[in-house]
Amino acid sequence: MNSRLSAPWRPPGLFGLRTPARLASAFSIVVAILLATGALTARAVEAQQEETDLRIGVLLDGDWPLVDEFLQLIRQELALLTDTEFSVEFARSLNAEWNLPTLYEGFDELLDDPQVDLVLAPGLAGSQLATSRTTGYEKPVVAALAADAEFQNLPRAGRGSGVPNLVYVALADGLDRELKVFGNIAPFEKLALVSNREFLSTAAGSVAQTNQRQDGVELRFFAADRTAESVLEQLPEDVDAVYLWPLVMDPGELRELLVGLNERKLPTFSAIGRDQMEAGALATIASDELLQRLGRRIALVIHRILLGEEPAEIPVTFTQPEQLIINAETMRLIDASPRFEMLLEAEMINTDDPTISQLDLTGAVQRAVAANRNLVAEGAGVEAGVAVVRSARARLGPQASASLSGAVVDSETAANSFGNQPQQTVDGSVSLSQILYSNEAFGALAIERFVQEGREAAFERARLDTALDTANAYINLLRAQNLLTVQRDNLSITRANLELAEARREVGVASSSEILRWESEVANAKQRLIGTDADVRTAQIELNRLMHMPEESTWVLEDLSLDNATLLPEQGRFRSYIETPRQFETVREFAVTQALERAPELAELDRAIDAQSRALTIARRAYWLPDVGAQAQISDRLDESGAGSELPSPNDDSTWSVGVSATLSLFEGGARNARVAEALAELDRLERSREATAEFVEQAVRNSMLAARASFANVTFAGEAFDAARQSRELVQEAYARGAVNILSLLDAQNASLQAETAATDAVYDFFVSLMNVQRSINQFDFFVDETARAEWFDRLDAFFAERGVERWVTE
């Protein structure tokens, strides 16, 4: 076999020198000697400098955009690694066009080609073919895309392949790990592993040729052609799940295949990653960084061969970066219910669910104000109070009554009454009364009116409190959801650091204790993730309770930002009032005056004071002011019978009367004095309570405004702190990957970044909580106010500034 490389291969150079520095030194000496003797011309020097160190032949399975991207990444990474050190050329590229005989012929052709120094197989079938020969090669062969070393029965000796001039890259426990994750997402007993016919056919003698049982699961292998039908028509009815291991198919056919599998309610797992997920697969753990890191690894392998390492001794194990992704739409289509921790750790895609309603802050508050059970109960109390007022007013109107009576006496008495008392009589009467003046009745009506106004003020207070509680519940749910994302990202970062540690251990930089420490950190990150998820669900239940919705209802919440026009209307204009301490103090004074005028707590107490003042007046007037009323009555005998009824009655059967009365209580055993004393004491208590409440309202306004200003500034500072901490973590992480820093430095940087990101997230939502407290303290929520009312508020603020002689801060 003709080749510029012999087995074992060495990099080209003079005198057998292997390192670039020695090569350069030796080359310079020879050039100087030859130039001195005139034996080396300038043309010969140029030819020596332009000589290619390595010519690569590429064997492609067929057209596959993923492999094209993979090959391009290898080229880029190899160019960065070799730079001016070596000259590398991709000399030939053969495409088997998914034809096995052509693939075998192409492989032999590249091996025999003297213009090819190294054969690179970046495809699945080509890699399987390259690793199937255990006798070795006369030139280096790199199998770049092995799916699973154990399942493919790939050769192994120590850390390398053990086959002369053969190096491959295979995922460490790839299939085992993926099946374990898949089983936690969708349990199965009979799993169909579907891959391309070319790949399975080249795996001669491997376990991929026969059905297997592993950990109680039956694994069935199905060879796919380029069509969805070639897979769907093979799958038996008793298959529980499908693993695309891996599968190359045109996008349209792949989408048709996944539609068919989803219609059969079969969970699907992708070995390739996001592309198949977008097409409809259920889950994957293939990271978006997989191809980039795999391309870098292959470039490093080729570079190590250039430096003279034995290909058979180069490590073949590749630690796969994991990124669990779950397709939420597919999960709904097939009614899948993954394990709780899987959903927590996963990145969810296609999460738009038409069955889940959108909800913004204004909508949440409006729902609560309309349906909150406590508020509805308060409203019912107001309605009941209306009836109480009507009842008190009714006492002052005319009172009419009618009566009907019947009597029977013994016949002897009736006969001897000469008609005055017939034996059987029926009498009827109608009476009418009207209060002309009553100290107690008129006072009671006035008191009930005040009490009713107090009920209405209490309802307004409850409405504002419900709005505040709902707004805070909405904000806290958003906070919890964002902190859940922070914890999920932290878990991903910790997993990435674990992968870095494993890579460090492979090159002898890290010990097993370092791996265990990162595994402990992963467990801690999972624990925090679960706790934060519980916070999300608790906040969700609280919001649903306030809105009187089913407490497990799920919402897609609209996030809040500092440029929200509903919550922060005319933000630029308002900031012109608070740029200086004097301006901000003036705004606080204005807000206090507005709050004291409109506080329902004060209105409720004012009505209670009015009612108690009237009760005191009633008690004092009771000493000297009588109740005056008018009465009228008419009665008539409607029927008489029996003994004595035959005689005419000497009296008229009809009678009537009209009268006016005045009543004044003279002595009640000291009760009147007690009522006056009670009324005075209660009035004094209410007035003191009113003063205390006014102070509380003022304090709430001032404190909430100061807190809002501080939290607003803190949003910026916390964001800057997080940016710095994140950049620091990334720098330390890079240094850790290079072995420049130890694990403690990275742990400190990661913890600092996590704390800073948590603080930055909290800062945003703390500000909105403070803003809601400000609006509650001044009794005016912006989502209840229209543009006209808002403009009037600013007009009053301008007038207040003018009264105080304070100018706004105007920026040109």
Side-chain angles (χ1 to χ4, degrees):
M1 183 178 296
N2 296 323
S3 173
R4 295 178 66 250
L5 308 180
S6 59
W9 179 76
R10 294 290 185 269
L14 299 175
F15 311 122
L17 300 176
R18 297 172 58 179
T19 66
R22 291 178 179 175
L23 284 171
S25 177
F27 183 78
S28 299
I29 293 172
V30 173
V31 169
I33 294 173
L34 293 178
L35 282 174
T37 60
L40 185 62
T41 65
R43 189 172 185 180
V45 172
E46 181 178 358
Q48 176 70 22
Q49 291 174 337
E50 292 180 353
E51 182 181 354
T52 301
D53 294 323
L54 181 66
R55 291 171 297 188
I56 299 175
V58 179
L59 177 64
L60 298 173
D61 298 347
D63 294 328
W64 187 13
L66 187 68
V67 168
D68 294 342
E69 181 184 353
F70 180 37
L71 191 58
Q72 183 61 29
L73 288 170
I74 296 173
R75 289 173 179 266
Q76 293 172 358
E77 294 291 338
L78 190 57
L80 291 173
L81 284 172
T82 56
D83 197 13
T84 59
E85 186 179 14
F86 296 107
S87 174
V88 178
E89 175 188 355
F90 282 81
R92 292 193 64 184
S93 180
L94 298 181
N95 190 330
E97 297 181 352
W98 305 110
N99 183 281
L100 282 179
T102 304
L103 185 70
Y104 283 100
E105 292 171 3
F107 187 51
D108 289 337
E109 182 177 341
L110 291 176
L111 289 174
D112 293 337
D113 190 343
Q115 300 301 314
V116 171
D117 304 323
L118 180 147
V119 177
L120 172 64
L124 291 164
S127 294
Q128 178 67 49
L129 174 62
T131 56
S132 62
R133 185 184 301 180
T134 58
T135 57
Y137 300 99
E138 295 183 4
K139 65 177 65 173
V141 174
V142 178
L145 203 61
D148 186 279
E150 181 179 353
F151 263 66
Q152 293 178 247
N153 280 336
L154 302 185
R156 183 74 178 270
R159 299 174 65 188
S161 70
V163 176
N165 269 331
L166 172 66
V167 59
Y168 62 86
V169 175
L171 303 179
D173 301 323
L175 186 57
D176 286 345
R177 171 63 181 159
E178 290 178 342
L179 293 183
K180 181 178 180 180
V181 173
F182 194 14
N184 285 328
I185 295 173
F188 49 80
E189 294 181 356
K190 296 181 180 180
L191 177 67
L193 287 89
V194 179
S195 191
N196 292 99
R197 188 176 305 279
E198 296 82 6
F199 171 56
L200 294 180
S201 297
T202 54
S206 76
V207 294
Q209 297 297 297
T210 57
N211 295 337
Q212 300 289 317
R213 293 197 67 83
Q214 180 173 320
D215 297 330
V217 175
E218 181 180 342
L219 308 180
R220 301 182 183 181
F221 295 86
F222 295 89
D225 294 323
R226 291 289 171 274
T227 65
E229 184 180 2
S230 68
V231 178
L232 294 174
E233 65 184 6
Q234 293 185 67
L235 294 180
E237 293 296 328
D238 61 346
V239 166
D240 300 324
V242 175
Y243 177 41
L244 308 179
W245 184 68
L247 181 65
V248 181
M249 193 172 284
D250 290 338
E253 291 292 334
L254 177 63
R255 191 171 295 106
E256 183 179 343
L257 170 62
L258 287 166
V259 167
L261 295 175
N262 290 337
E263 287 177 349
R264 291 174 61 172
K265 306 293 185 181
L266 288 174
T268 50
F269 194 92
S270 169
I272 292 177
R274 192 176 294 270
D275 289 344
Q276 291 184 342
M277 294 291 297
E278 295 291 350
L282 175 62
T284 187
I285 59 171
S287 168
D288 294 339
E289 300 178 358
L290 175 60
L291 209 59
Q292 178 74 40
R293 293 176 61 173
L294 193 56
R296 185 178 299 118
R297 174 65 177 273
I298 297 302
L300 285 169
V301 166
I302 296 174
H303 186 246
R304 292 173 74 166
I305 293 174
L306 273 169
L307 292 176
E309 282 196 55
E310 297 286 350
E313 297 176 0
I314 296 176
V316 297
T317 300
F318 176 73
T319 302
Q320 175 183 356
E322 289 187 7
Q323 181 181 15
L324 177 58
I325 306 173
I326 295 179
N327 191 325
E329 182 180 4
T330 301
M331 190 171 68
R332 292 190 297 271
L333 286 173
I334 68 173
D335 298 324
S337 183
R339 292 183 64 181
F340 186 69
E341 58 269 27
M342 294 291 102
L343 290 175
L344 275 180
E345 296 181 30
E347 173 193 346
M348 306 297 294
I349 65 171
N350 298 334
T351 55
D352 292 340
D353 186 349
T355 65
I356 300 179
S357 301
Q358 304 279 333
L359 185 66
D360 59 13
L361 179 56
T362 301
V365 172
Q366 289 174 346
R367 283 174 180 264
V369 168
N372 179 265
R373 293 299 90 183
N374 289 336
L375 198 55
V376 169
E378 288 283 347
V382 173
E383 291 298 321
V386 172
V388 172
V389 173
R390 288 202 303 267
S391 178
R393 184 187 299 113
R395 290 182 59 193
L396 302 179
Q399 309 294 313
S401 63
S403 66
L404 184 67
S405 64
V408 178
V409 299
D410 62 88
S411 58
E412 184 177 351
T413 301
N416 295 330
S417 68
F418 303 102
N420 287 326
Q421 183 64 56
Q423 184 178 5
Q424 299 170 351
T425 58
V426 177
D427 296 318
S429 66
V430 176
S431 60
L432 181 68
S433 64
Q434 172 66 54
I435 294 177
L436 300 179
Y437 179 80
S438 172
N439 179 41
E440 182 180 353
F442 278 93
L445 176 59
I447 288 173
E448 288 301 334
R449 284 173 173 166
F450 290 137
V451 170
Q452 178 63 10
E453 291 175 2
R455 292 190 189 100
E456 293 170 356
F459 176 79
E460 177 62 15
R461 171 176 53 78
R463 189 177 78 98
L464 292 173
D465 287 342
T466 299
L468 176 63
D469 291 343
T470 306
N472 285 341
Y474 183 98
I475 294 168
N476 286 333
L477 178 54
L478 273 178
R479 182 203 306 269
Q481 288 177 343
N482 280 273
L483 288 176
L484 184 65
T485 300
V486 170
Q487 293 296 342
R488 186 177 286 119
D489 291 344
N490 181 64
L491 176 58
S492 298
I493 292 169
T494 307
R495 287 190 186 280
N497 290 336
L498 173 59
E499 293 165 8
L500 287 177
E502 290 171 341
R504 282 160 54 96
R505 182 174 62 176
E506 288 180 4
V507 298
V509 178
S511 64
S512 297
S513 63
E514 195 165 314
I515 304 299
L516 294 173
R517 178 62 186 274
W518 282 118
E519 289 176 348
S520 174
E521 289 298 316
V522 168
N524 291 335
K526 287 182 177 180
Q527 185 179 15
R528 288 191 293 268
L529 186 64
I530 291 173
T532 307
D533 181 73
D535 293 340
V536 170
R537 296 178 184 277
T538 300
Q540 176 180 291
I541 290 171
E542 172 66 6
L543 178 60
N544 286 326
R545 182 192 67 80
L546 288 166
M547 297 189 301
H548 187 53
M549 298 295 296
E551 295 193 358
E552 294 289 346
S553 296
T554 303
W555 306 93
V556 177
L557 301 186
E558 179 184 308
D559 207 349
L560 302 175
S561 63
L562 297 182
D563 57 358
N564 190 294
T566 301
L567 296 179
L568 296 168
E570 301 188 64
Q571 182 182 163
R573 179 180 177 184
F574 183 73
R575 292 188 65 178
S576 68
Y577 293 95
I578 59 174
E579 287 294 332
T580 69
R582 186 181 181 191
Q583 290 172 340
F584 190 39
E585 181 181 0
T586 305
V587 170
R588 294 199 302 274
E589 293 295 337
F590 171 75
V592 167
T593 61
Q594 296 295 297
L596 293 177
E597 289 177 4
R598 304 176 58 180
E601 298 89 345
L602 296 179
E604 187 177 1
L605 283 169
D606 285 339
R607 301 294 78 77
I609 289 171
D610 290 341
Q612 194 58 41
S613 296
R614 189 56 186 268
L616 178 59
T617 299
I618 292 171
R620 285 173 172 170
R621 287 178 177 177
Y623 285 104
W624 54 271
L625 193 59
D627 292 342
V628 180
Q631 305 85 31
Q633 182 175 10
I634 183 171
S635 61
D636 189 21
R637 177 154 294 172
L638 302 178
D639 184 54
E640 55 184 32
S641 60
S645 62
E646 68 279 0
L647 299 176
S649 174
N651 301 316
D652 192 353
D653 289 341
S654 299
T655 61
W656 61 271
S657 64
V658 176
V660 176
S661 64
T663 305
L664 177 64
S665 177
L666 298 178
F667 184 70
E668 298 180 10
R672 285 180 295 189
N673 293 337
R675 285 196 292 269
V676 170
E678 180 186 356
L680 280 170
E682 180 64 15
L683 182 60
D684 184 65
R685 184 191 70 80
L686 289 171
E687 289 174 345
R688 301 292 81 77
S689 295
R690 207 269 185 199
E691 292 172 0
T693 302
E695 290 178 351
F696 176 79
V697 169
E698 181 175 350
Q699 179 190 25
V701 172
R702 296 182 187 278
N703 288 350
S704 62
M705 294 190 72
L706 290 169
R709 182 173 177 82
S711 61
F712 183 79
N714 191 42
V715 171
T716 301
F717 299 141
E720 292 174 353
F722 167 58
D723 287 340
R726 176 182 52 79
Q727 293 178 37
S728 174
R729 187 207 71 219
E730 291 172 352
L731 291 173
V732 175
Q733 196 172 34
E734 291 176 3
Y736 178 76
R738 298 194 307 269
V741 299
N742 59 28
I743 184 175
L744 295 179
S745 297
L746 182 53
L747 281 171
D748 288 343
Q750 183 176 341
N751 289 334
S753 177
L754 175 61
Q755 292 171 7
E757 187 172 10
T758 301
T761 302
D762 278 333
V764 173
Y765 298 108
D766 284 344
F767 166 69
F768 282 105
V769 168
S770 298
L771 180 63
M772 294 301 101
N773 288 333
V774 169
Q775 295 186 3
R776 172 61 184 91
S777 68
I778 63 176
N779 311 298
Q780 178 175 302
F781 284 102
D782 280 330
F783 33 69
F784 291 152
V785 177
D786 58 21
E787 292 296 329
T788 301
R790 188 173 293 119
E792 291 175 352
W793 190 89
F794 274 108
D795 290 342
R796 293 195 300 273
L797 179 59
D798 286 334
F800 191 85
F801 263 61
E803 290 175 5
R804 297 300 191 276
V806 180
E807 296 290 336
R808 288 171 52 194
W809 187 277
V810 180
T811 302
E812 297 296 336

